[in-house]
Amino acid sequence: MGKKISNKVTWVGKIDWELKTFHGDELSTHKGSSYNSYLIRDKKNALIDTSWIPYDKEFVQHLKQEIDLSQIDYVIMQHNECDHSGALVELMREIPNVPIYCTKKGETIIRGHYHKDWNFVNVKTGDTLNLGETTLTFVEATMLHWPDTMFTYMSGENILFSNDGFGQHYASESLFNTEVDLSEVYTEAMKYYCNILNPFSNLVTKKINEILAMNLPLAMICPSHGIIWKDNPTQIVEKYLQWANAYSENQITLVYDTMWQSTRLMAQAIAKGIQEVDNTVTVKIMSIVKDDKNDVLTEIFKSKAFLIGSPTINNGYSFAIGGLLEMIKGLKFKNKKASAFGSYGWSGDAVKQMTEKLQEAGIGIVNDGIRQLWVPDTKMLEECTEYGREFIKTL
Ligand code: FEO
Protein backbone atom coordinates (compact mmCIF):
# COMPACT_ATOMS: atom_id res chain seq x y z
CA MET A 1 0.00 0.00 0.00
CA GLY A 2 1.13 3.52 -0.70
CA LYS A 3 2.24 5.87 2.04
CA LYS A 4 1.96 9.63 1.69
CA ILE A 5 5.32 11.28 2.41
CA SER A 6 4.47 14.86 1.48
CA ASN A 7 1.58 16.87 0.11
CA LYS A 8 2.11 15.58 -3.43
CA VAL A 9 4.31 12.51 -3.10
CA THR A 10 3.27 8.97 -2.15
CA TRP A 11 5.73 6.13 -1.59
CA VAL A 12 4.56 3.16 -3.66
CA GLY A 13 7.53 0.85 -3.23
CA LYS A 14 8.15 -2.61 -1.84
CA ILE A 15 9.73 -3.50 1.50
CA ASP A 16 11.76 -6.69 1.07
CA TRP A 17 12.22 -8.11 4.57
CA GLU A 18 13.57 -11.40 3.32
CA LEU A 19 16.36 -10.18 1.04
CA LYS A 20 19.62 -11.58 2.41
CA THR A 21 21.88 -11.17 -0.62
CA PHE A 22 21.94 -8.69 -3.48
CA HIS A 23 23.72 -8.64 -6.85
CA GLY A 24 23.60 -12.44 -6.77
CA ASP A 25 25.85 -13.24 -3.83
CA GLU A 26 28.09 -10.18 -4.21
CA LEU A 27 26.52 -8.19 -1.39
CA SER A 28 24.97 -9.38 1.85
CA THR A 29 21.85 -7.58 3.04
CA HIS A 30 21.40 -8.68 6.65
CA LYS A 31 18.66 -6.10 7.24
CA GLY A 32 16.67 -6.72 4.07
CA SER A 33 16.01 -3.83 1.72
CA SER A 34 13.34 -1.86 -0.04
CA TYR A 35 12.74 -0.80 -3.63
CA ASN A 36 11.40 2.70 -3.28
CA SER A 37 9.13 4.06 -5.96
CA TYR A 38 7.45 7.44 -5.71
CA LEU A 39 4.20 8.70 -7.21
CA ILE A 40 3.88 12.45 -7.65
CA ARG A 41 0.35 13.83 -8.00
CA ASP A 42 0.13 17.30 -9.46
CA LYS A 43 -1.79 18.62 -12.47
CA LYS A 44 0.23 15.94 -14.22
CA ASN A 45 1.18 12.73 -12.45
CA ALA A 46 4.63 11.14 -12.53
CA LEU A 47 5.97 7.84 -11.27
CA ILE A 48 9.63 7.71 -10.25
CA ASP A 49 11.27 4.26 -10.61
CA THR A 50 9.53 0.91 -10.17
CA SER A 51 10.50 -2.31 -8.36
CA TRP A 52 12.47 -5.54 -8.71
CA ILE A 53 11.26 -8.21 -11.17
CA PRO A 54 9.98 -10.77 -8.59
CA TYR A 55 7.59 -8.13 -7.28
CA ASP A 56 6.48 -6.70 -10.64
CA LYS A 57 2.87 -7.93 -10.50
CA GLU A 58 2.50 -6.97 -6.85
CA PHE A 59 3.93 -3.55 -7.64
CA VAL A 60 1.45 -2.86 -10.44
CA GLN A 61 -1.45 -4.27 -8.46
CA HIS A 62 -0.66 -1.99 -5.50
CA LEU A 63 -0.12 0.98 -7.80
CA LYS A 64 -3.60 0.40 -9.27
CA GLN A 65 -5.05 0.69 -5.79
CA GLU A 66 -3.30 4.01 -5.45
CA ILE A 67 -4.12 5.56 -8.85
CA ASP A 68 -5.96 4.72 -12.04
CA LEU A 69 -2.94 3.84 -14.20
CA SER A 70 -4.37 5.82 -17.11
CA GLN A 71 -3.84 8.90 -14.93
CA ILE A 72 -0.06 8.43 -14.96
CA ASP A 73 1.38 10.97 -17.40
CA TYR A 74 5.09 10.25 -17.07
CA VAL A 75 7.36 7.46 -15.90
CA ILE A 76 10.75 8.66 -14.70
CA MET A 77 13.47 5.99 -14.70
CA GLN A 78 16.50 7.28 -12.83
CA HIS A 79 18.58 4.09 -13.10
CA ASN A 80 17.75 0.87 -14.85
CA GLU A 81 19.35 -1.93 -12.90
CA CYS A 82 16.56 -4.49 -12.59
CA ASP A 83 15.88 -3.76 -8.91
CA HIS A 84 14.34 -0.47 -10.10
CA SER A 85 13.29 -1.13 -13.68
CA GLY A 86 12.15 -4.72 -13.13
CA ALA A 87 8.44 -3.90 -13.02
CA LEU A 88 8.52 -1.84 -16.23
CA VAL A 89 7.32 -4.64 -18.52
CA GLU A 90 4.33 -5.33 -16.29
CA LEU A 91 3.58 -1.61 -15.93
CA MET A 92 4.05 -0.65 -19.57
CA ARG A 93 1.76 -3.50 -20.64
CA GLU A 94 -1.01 -1.35 -19.08
CA ILE A 95 0.20 2.08 -20.20
CA PRO A 96 2.28 1.41 -23.34
CA ASN A 97 2.27 4.96 -24.69
CA VAL A 98 3.24 6.83 -21.55
CA PRO A 99 6.63 8.50 -22.04
CA ILE A 100 9.58 7.13 -20.10
CA TYR A 101 11.98 9.90 -19.07
CA CYS A 102 15.54 8.69 -18.67
CA THR A 103 19.07 9.50 -19.75
CA LYS A 104 20.25 8.45 -23.21
CA LYS A 105 22.24 5.67 -21.57
CA GLY A 106 19.12 4.76 -19.60
CA GLU A 107 17.22 4.14 -22.83
CA THR A 108 20.05 1.92 -24.10
CA ILE A 109 20.02 -0.08 -20.88
CA ILE A 110 16.22 -0.44 -20.80
CA ARG A 111 16.24 -1.60 -24.41
CA GLY A 112 19.10 -3.99 -23.61
CA HIS A 113 17.18 -5.49 -20.71
CA TYR A 114 13.58 -5.62 -21.93
CA HIS A 115 13.84 -5.29 -25.73
CA LYS A 116 10.77 -3.07 -26.01
CA ASP A 117 10.18 -0.05 -28.18
CA TRP A 118 8.58 2.25 -25.63
CA ASN A 119 8.15 6.01 -25.90
CA PHE A 120 11.50 7.19 -24.55
CA VAL A 121 12.31 10.81 -23.78
CA ASN A 122 16.03 11.36 -23.18
CA VAL A 123 16.94 13.97 -20.59
CA LYS A 124 20.20 15.51 -19.49
CA THR A 125 21.37 17.74 -16.67
CA GLY A 126 19.24 20.85 -16.39
CA ASP A 127 16.28 19.54 -18.37
CA THR A 128 12.96 20.12 -16.64
CA LEU A 129 9.49 18.65 -16.64
CA ASN A 130 6.67 20.84 -15.37
CA LEU A 131 3.95 18.95 -13.55
CA GLY A 132 1.76 21.95 -12.66
CA GLU A 133 2.64 23.47 -9.32
CA THR A 134 5.92 21.58 -9.18
CA THR A 135 8.73 21.08 -11.64
CA LEU A 136 11.18 18.20 -11.93
CA THR A 137 14.78 19.03 -12.77
CA PHE A 138 17.03 16.20 -13.89
CA VAL A 139 20.70 15.89 -12.95
CA GLU A 140 22.80 13.24 -14.64
CA ALA A 141 24.90 11.29 -12.15
CA THR A 142 26.88 9.18 -14.58
CA MET A 143 28.61 6.18 -12.97
CA LEU A 144 26.95 6.72 -9.60
CA HIS A 145 26.91 3.85 -9.88
CA TRP A 146 25.84 2.96 -13.45
CA PRO A 147 26.31 4.95 -16.67
CA ASP A 148 22.59 5.74 -16.80
CA THR A 149 22.10 7.10 -13.30
CA MET A 150 20.40 10.43 -12.75
CA PHE A 151 18.90 12.32 -9.82
CA THR A 152 15.62 14.23 -9.93
CA TYR A 153 14.92 17.38 -7.97
CA MET A 154 11.30 18.38 -7.34
CA SER A 155 10.81 22.10 -6.81
CA GLY A 156 7.89 23.26 -4.69
CA GLU A 157 8.33 20.43 -2.23
CA ASN A 158 12.13 20.60 -2.40
CA ILE A 159 12.71 16.88 -2.65
CA LEU A 160 15.79 15.24 -4.13
CA PHE A 161 15.12 11.78 -5.54
CA SER A 162 18.59 10.28 -5.47
CA ASN A 163 18.04 6.68 -6.55
CA ASP A 164 20.87 4.46 -5.19
CA GLY A 165 22.75 7.48 -3.83
CA PHE A 166 22.32 7.96 -0.05
CA GLY A 167 20.45 4.64 0.12
CA GLN A 168 20.82 1.67 2.42
CA HIS A 169 19.75 -1.95 2.29
CA TYR A 170 17.45 -1.57 5.25
CA ALA A 171 13.91 -2.86 5.53
CA SER A 172 11.64 -0.85 7.81
CA GLU A 173 7.94 -0.19 8.10
CA SER A 174 8.88 3.36 9.05
CA LEU A 175 9.93 5.43 6.10
CA PHE A 176 11.81 8.32 7.73
CA ASN A 177 15.15 8.68 9.47
CA THR A 178 13.31 10.12 12.46
CA GLU A 179 11.50 6.86 13.11
CA VAL A 180 14.28 4.25 13.04
CA ASP A 181 17.46 3.29 14.88
CA LEU A 182 19.81 5.72 13.15
CA SER A 183 22.96 3.83 14.14
CA GLU A 184 21.64 0.79 12.27
CA VAL A 185 20.82 2.94 9.26
CA TYR A 186 24.31 4.45 9.23
CA THR A 187 25.89 0.99 9.52
CA GLU A 188 23.95 -0.06 6.42
CA ALA A 189 24.55 3.25 4.61
CA MET A 190 28.30 2.91 5.13
CA LYS A 191 28.26 -0.72 4.02
CA TYR A 192 26.32 0.34 0.92
CA TYR A 193 28.77 3.14 0.18
CA CYS A 194 31.83 0.95 0.71
CA ASN A 195 30.61 -2.01 -1.33
CA ILE A 196 28.87 -0.17 -4.17
CA LEU A 197 29.94 3.44 -4.46
CA ASN A 198 33.51 3.54 -3.17
CA PRO A 199 35.11 2.89 -6.58
CA PHE A 200 33.43 6.08 -7.80
CA SER A 201 34.41 8.30 -4.88
CA ASN A 202 35.97 11.04 -7.02
CA LEU A 203 32.71 11.30 -8.96
CA VAL A 204 30.70 11.30 -5.72
CA THR A 205 32.60 14.32 -4.42
CA LYS A 206 32.30 16.13 -7.74
CA LYS A 207 28.57 15.48 -8.10
CA ILE A 208 27.76 16.48 -4.52
CA ASN A 209 29.69 19.72 -4.88
CA GLU A 210 27.89 20.39 -8.18
CA ILE A 211 24.51 19.92 -6.50
CA LEU A 212 25.46 21.94 -3.41
CA ALA A 213 26.54 24.79 -5.70
CA MET A 214 22.98 24.94 -7.06
CA ASN A 215 21.88 26.09 -3.58
CA LEU A 216 18.62 24.21 -3.82
CA PRO A 217 16.41 24.19 -0.75
CA LEU A 218 16.25 20.63 0.51
CA ALA A 219 13.38 19.25 2.58
CA MET A 220 13.95 15.55 1.91
CA ILE A 221 16.27 13.14 0.16
CA CYS A 222 14.38 10.14 -1.17
CA PRO A 223 16.69 7.28 -2.17
CA SER A 224 15.62 4.10 -3.92
CA HIS A 225 16.62 1.83 -1.03
CA GLY A 226 15.96 2.20 2.68
CA ILE A 227 14.74 5.14 4.67
CA ILE A 228 14.06 8.69 3.54
CA TRP A 229 16.28 11.45 4.93
CA LYS A 230 13.72 13.95 6.23
CA ASP A 231 15.22 15.31 9.44
CA ASN A 232 18.38 17.27 8.56
CA PRO A 233 18.70 15.56 5.16
CA THR A 234 22.15 17.00 4.48
CA GLN A 235 23.59 14.82 7.28
CA ILE A 236 23.95 11.93 4.84
CA VAL A 237 25.42 14.26 2.21
CA GLU A 238 28.09 15.32 4.72
CA LYS A 239 28.79 11.66 5.53
CA TYR A 240 29.20 10.89 1.83
CA LEU A 241 31.71 13.72 1.49
CA GLN A 242 33.71 12.17 4.36
CA TRP A 243 33.44 8.63 3.00
CA ALA A 244 34.46 9.73 -0.49
CA ASN A 245 37.60 11.42 0.80
CA ALA A 246 39.93 8.43 1.45
CA TYR A 247 37.98 7.67 4.62
CA SER A 248 39.54 5.96 7.60
CA GLU A 249 39.14 5.74 11.35
CA ASN A 250 41.75 4.90 13.97
CA GLN A 251 41.33 1.20 13.29
CA ILE A 252 43.46 -1.73 12.14
CA THR A 253 41.75 -4.87 10.88
CA LEU A 254 43.32 -8.31 10.57
CA VAL A 255 41.54 -10.69 8.23
CA TYR A 256 42.66 -14.29 8.07
CA ASP A 257 41.85 -17.68 6.68
CA THR A 258 43.22 -20.74 8.43
CA MET A 259 43.38 -24.49 7.83
CA TRP A 260 44.68 -25.84 11.15
CA GLN A 261 44.64 -22.67 13.30
CA SER A 262 48.29 -21.60 12.81
CA THR A 263 47.45 -18.48 10.79
CA ARG A 264 44.68 -17.66 13.27
CA LEU A 265 47.18 -17.82 16.15
CA MET A 266 49.49 -15.53 14.18
CA ALA A 267 46.65 -13.02 13.74
CA GLN A 268 46.04 -12.94 17.48
CA ALA A 269 49.73 -12.52 18.29
CA ILE A 270 50.15 -9.69 15.75
CA ALA A 271 47.05 -7.94 17.12
CA LYS A 272 48.52 -8.19 20.64
CA GLY A 273 51.69 -6.39 19.51
CA ILE A 274 49.69 -3.61 17.81
CA GLN A 275 47.66 -2.96 20.95
CA GLU A 276 50.73 -3.01 23.20
CA VAL A 277 52.17 -0.09 21.27
CA ASP A 278 48.91 1.85 20.83
CA ASN A 279 45.91 1.01 22.96
CA THR A 280 43.90 3.85 21.43
CA VAL A 281 43.67 2.07 18.08
CA THR A 282 40.66 -0.21 17.52
CA VAL A 283 41.95 -3.63 16.49
CA LYS A 284 39.55 -6.10 14.90
CA ILE A 285 40.28 -9.69 13.94
CA MET A 286 37.96 -11.25 11.38
CA SER A 287 37.75 -14.62 9.71
CA ILE A 288 37.07 -14.39 5.99
CA VAL A 289 35.22 -17.70 6.29
CA LYS A 290 33.20 -17.13 9.47
CA ASP A 291 32.52 -13.42 9.05
CA ASP A 292 30.56 -11.97 6.18
CA LYS A 293 32.79 -10.80 3.31
CA ASN A 294 31.00 -7.45 2.88
CA ASP A 295 31.20 -6.76 6.62
CA VAL A 296 34.93 -7.55 6.39
CA LEU A 297 35.28 -5.10 3.49
CA THR A 298 33.40 -2.44 5.44
CA GLU A 299 35.80 -2.89 8.38
CA ILE A 300 38.73 -2.54 5.95
CA PHE A 301 37.06 0.62 4.60
CA LYS A 302 37.04 1.99 8.17
CA SER A 303 40.67 1.04 8.80
CA LYS A 304 43.80 3.10 8.25
CA ALA A 305 45.69 -0.17 7.82
CA PHE A 306 44.93 -3.86 7.59
CA LEU A 307 46.65 -7.22 7.47
CA ILE A 308 45.66 -10.21 5.37
CA GLY A 309 46.58 -13.72 6.50
CA SER A 310 46.46 -17.02 4.69
CA PRO A 311 48.24 -20.34 4.98
CA THR A 312 50.02 -21.45 1.84
CA ILE A 313 47.99 -24.03 -0.04
CA ASN A 314 48.88 -25.36 -3.48
CA ASN A 315 51.70 -22.80 -3.67
CA GLY A 316 49.31 -19.88 -3.17
CA TYR A 317 46.75 -18.32 -0.85
CA SER A 318 43.35 -19.75 0.01
CA PHE A 319 40.25 -19.56 -2.15
CA ALA A 320 38.47 -17.25 0.31
CA ILE A 321 41.40 -14.85 0.62
CA GLY A 322 41.68 -14.85 -3.19
CA GLY A 323 38.09 -13.65 -3.43
CA LEU A 324 38.68 -10.98 -0.81
CA LEU A 325 41.78 -9.70 -2.60
CA GLU A 326 39.83 -9.41 -5.85
CA MET A 327 37.11 -7.44 -4.07
CA ILE A 328 39.67 -5.15 -2.43
CA LYS A 329 41.11 -4.44 -5.86
CA GLY A 330 37.70 -3.73 -7.36
CA LEU A 331 36.64 -1.38 -4.58
CA LYS A 332 39.68 0.88 -5.12
CA PHE A 333 40.34 1.79 -1.50
CA LYS A 334 42.46 4.90 -1.14
CA ASN A 335 45.20 5.83 1.31
CA LYS A 336 45.33 2.48 3.08
CA LYS A 337 48.32 0.47 4.17
CA ALA A 338 48.62 -3.26 4.56
CA SER A 339 50.84 -6.30 5.00
CA ALA A 340 50.41 -10.04 4.75
CA PHE A 341 51.08 -12.96 7.07
CA GLY A 342 50.58 -16.69 7.14
CA SER A 343 51.78 -20.12 8.12
CA TYR A 344 53.27 -22.65 5.73
CA GLY A 345 54.71 -26.12 5.49
CA TRP A 346 57.02 -26.06 2.48
CA SER A 347 56.77 -23.56 -0.41
CA GLY A 348 55.34 -20.68 1.68
CA ASP A 349 54.48 -18.54 -1.34
CA ALA A 350 51.20 -17.11 -0.03
CA VAL A 351 52.63 -14.10 1.83
CA LYS A 352 54.58 -12.89 -1.19
CA GLN A 353 51.61 -13.43 -3.49
CA MET A 354 49.17 -11.64 -1.17
CA THR A 355 51.60 -8.72 -0.91
CA GLU A 356 51.80 -8.49 -4.70
CA LYS A 357 48.01 -8.56 -4.99
CA LEU A 358 47.64 -5.80 -2.40
CA GLN A 359 50.17 -3.70 -4.26
CA GLU A 360 48.27 -4.30 -7.49
CA ALA A 361 45.14 -3.04 -5.70
CA GLY A 362 46.85 0.27 -4.93
CA ILE A 363 47.36 -0.46 -1.23
CA GLY A 364 50.52 0.90 0.41
CA ILE A 365 52.70 -2.03 1.50
CA VAL A 366 54.13 -1.62 4.99
CA ASN A 367 56.71 -4.43 4.81
CA ASP A 368 57.39 -7.86 3.33
CA GLY A 369 55.05 -9.60 5.75
CA ILE A 370 55.70 -12.50 8.10
CA ARG A 371 55.58 -16.29 7.66
CA GLN A 372 55.84 -19.03 10.24
CA LEU A 373 56.69 -22.67 9.52
CA TRP A 374 54.13 -25.28 10.60
CA VAL A 375 52.57 -24.55 14.01
CA PRO A 376 53.97 -21.45 15.77
CA ASP A 377 55.42 -22.13 19.23
CA THR A 378 55.81 -19.51 21.98
CA LYS A 379 58.96 -18.06 20.44
CA MET A 380 57.40 -17.82 16.99
CA LEU A 381 54.28 -16.19 18.41
CA GLU A 382 56.46 -13.64 20.19
CA GLU A 383 58.04 -12.91 16.78
CA CYS A 384 54.52 -12.24 15.48
CA THR A 385 53.81 -9.93 18.43
CA GLU A 386 57.03 -8.06 17.74
CA TYR A 387 55.98 -7.87 14.10
CA GLY A 388 52.71 -6.26 15.23
CA ARG A 389 54.65 -3.72 17.35
CA GLU A 390 56.84 -2.81 14.38
CA PHE A 391 53.86 -2.73 12.00
CA ILE A 392 52.10 0.03 13.90
CA LYS A 393 55.31 1.94 14.58
CA THR A 394 56.00 1.97 10.83
CA LEU A 395 52.59 3.38 9.93
FE1 FEO B 1 19.53 -0.23 -6.57
FE2 FEO B 1 21.95 0.05 -8.81
O1 FEO B 1 20.32 -0.52 -8.23
Side-chain angles (χ1 to χ4, degrees):
M1 281 302 113
K3 291 182 185 176
K4 210 161 187 264
I5 62 165
S6 72
N7 191 27
K8 290 187 164 51
V9 181
T10 302
W11 176 92
V12 288
K14 162 75 184 175
I15 300 167
D16 191 347
W17 295 95
E18 292 173 5
L19 189 81
K20 293 299 165 206
T21 62
F22 191 78
H23 285 161
D25 195 30
E26 279 292 297
L27 178 60
S28 59
T29 51
H30 308 314
K31 299 281 181 188
S33 193
S34 64
Y35 318 105
N36 297 337
S37 170
Y38 301 96
L39 176 67
I40 304 174
R41 286 188 180 89
D42 200 332
K43 291 192 173 59
K44 298 283 188 179
N45 302 315
L47 178 74
I48 299 189
D49 298 330
T50 69
S51 189
W52 187 29
I53 297 166
Y55 304 111
D56 58 355
K57 290 183 177 58
E58 175 183 328
F59 172 79
V60 173
Q61 191 189 354
H62 285 172
L63 191 60
K64 278 181 182 171
Q65 290 166 16
E66 194 59 45
I67 187 170
D68 179 342
L69 297 187
S70 66
Q71 300 297 307
I72 295 177
D73 299 289
Y74 311 109
V75 174
I76 317 290
M77 290 307 305
Q78 303 188 101
H79 163 48
N80 296 286
E81 198 163 3
C82 63
D83 53 328
H84 307 298
S85 64
L88 264 183
V89 172
E90 202 61 27
L91 177 67
M92 298 311 287
R93 205 192 310 279
E94 307 259 0
I95 47 172
N97 299 316
V98 169
I100 297 176
Y101 282 62
C102 60
T103 59
K104 193 164 187 294
K105 219 29 169 183
E107 178 181 343
T108 308
I109 291 173
I110 293 173
R111 286 183 185 276
H113 277 62
Y114 308 108
H115 311 283
K116 301 282 185 189
D117 199 19
W118 291 317
N119 177 13
F120 294 102
V121 178
N122 291 166
V123 293
K124 49 190 189 317
T125 297
D127 287 352
T128 57
L129 176 62
N130 184 265
L131 300 180
E133 293 174 8
T134 61
T135 297
L136 301 181
T137 302
F138 304 108
V139 180
E140 290 165 279
T142 312
M143 291 317 297
L144 294 179
H145 66 122
W146 269 24
D148 63 333
T149 306
M150 68 175 187
F151 299 159
T152 305
Y153 179 76
M154 179 186 177
S155 68
E157 296 204 334
N158 305 334
I159 297 174
L160 179 68
F161 298 96
S162 58
N163 197 264
D164 283 339
F166 311 121
Q168 339 85 44
H169 286 306
Y170 187 76
S172 166
E173 277 298 337
S174 304
L175 286 180
F176 299 113
N177 61 331
T178 45
E179 298 167 356
V180 293
D181 179 340
L182 210 51
S183 66
E184 276 190 351
V185 171
Y186 268 116
T187 299
E188 295 305 319
M190 179 190 270
K191 181 175 174 179
Y192 193 97
Y193 185 90
C194 163
N195 286 276
I196 293 187
L197 289 166
N198 193 66
F200 314 107
S201 285
N202 289 345
L203 298 173
V204 169
T205 307
K206 209 170 146 205
K207 186 54 59 182
I208 287 178
N209 287 329
E210 180 189 319
I211 292 172
L212 291 177
M214 293 176 182
N215 272 325
L216 302 167
L218 197 56
M220 272 194 269
I221 296 178
C222 293
S224 58
H225 299 289
I227 59 95
I228 291 166
W229 301 94
K230 184 177 185 183
D231 176 52
N232 182 18
T234 53
Q235 62 180 290
I236 186 64
V237 180
E238 283 155 21
K239 278 284 177 205
Y240 262 48
L241 286 173
Q242 287 173 23
W243 294 340
N245 186 21
Y247 184 75
S248 72
E249 298 176 13
N250 188 24
Q251 177 172 325
I252 294 176
T253 303
L254 296 94
V255 188
Y256 70 89
D257 196 359
T258 198
M259 292 169 72
W260 299 109
Q261 307 302 319
S262 295
T263 302
R264 182 179 68 81
L265 290 173
M266 289 179 72
Q268 288 176 348
I270 295 168
K272 181 168 168 267
I274 293 169
Q275 288 245 272
E276 277 178 15
V277 171
D278 183 357
N279 63 13
T280 67
V281 67
T282 300
V283 179
K284 292 193 180 173
I285 302 178
M286 303 184 88
S287 156
I288 189 57
V289 173
K290 293 181 181 171
D291 287 296
D292 175 87
K293 65 185 183 315
N294 304 105
D295 293 340
V296 166
L297 287 162
T298 309
E299 293 303 330
I300 289 175
F301 175 69
K302 284 161 65 180
S303 299
K304 60 184 178 185
F306 60 98
L307 295 104
I308 303 283
S310 173
T312 295
I313 175 168
N314 297 333
N315 300 326
Y317 40 75
S318 76
F319 166 77
I321 288 293
L324 178 70
L325 288 166
E326 283 304 320
M327 293 183 94
I328 289 172
K329 185 179 165 194
L331 291 180
K332 296 187 168 66
F333 292 121
K334 285 205 192 85
N335 199 23
K336 299 211 183 288
K337 294 188 171 162
S339 285
F341 63 97
S343 68
Y344 70 108
W346 49 103
S347 81
D349 293 337
V351 168
K352 184 167 172 283
Q353 290 179 15
M354 287 187 285
T355 306
E356 286 169 0
K357 269 282 179 191
L358 288 165
Q359 203 157 22
E360 213 180 289
I363 307 293
I365 303 302
V366 178
N367 54 41
D368 291 341
I370 183 169
R371 311 184 301 175
Q372 293 292 9
L373 186 61
W374 299 118
V375 178
D377 63 7
T378 310
K379 180 171 163 291
M380 292 154 95
L381 289 175
E382 172 49 31
E383 284 172 11
C384 291
T385 301
E386 180 56 22
Y387 176 84
R389 294 183 195 109
E390 285 306 314
F391 179 87
I392 187 152
K393 283 182 198 164
T394 314
L395 285 185

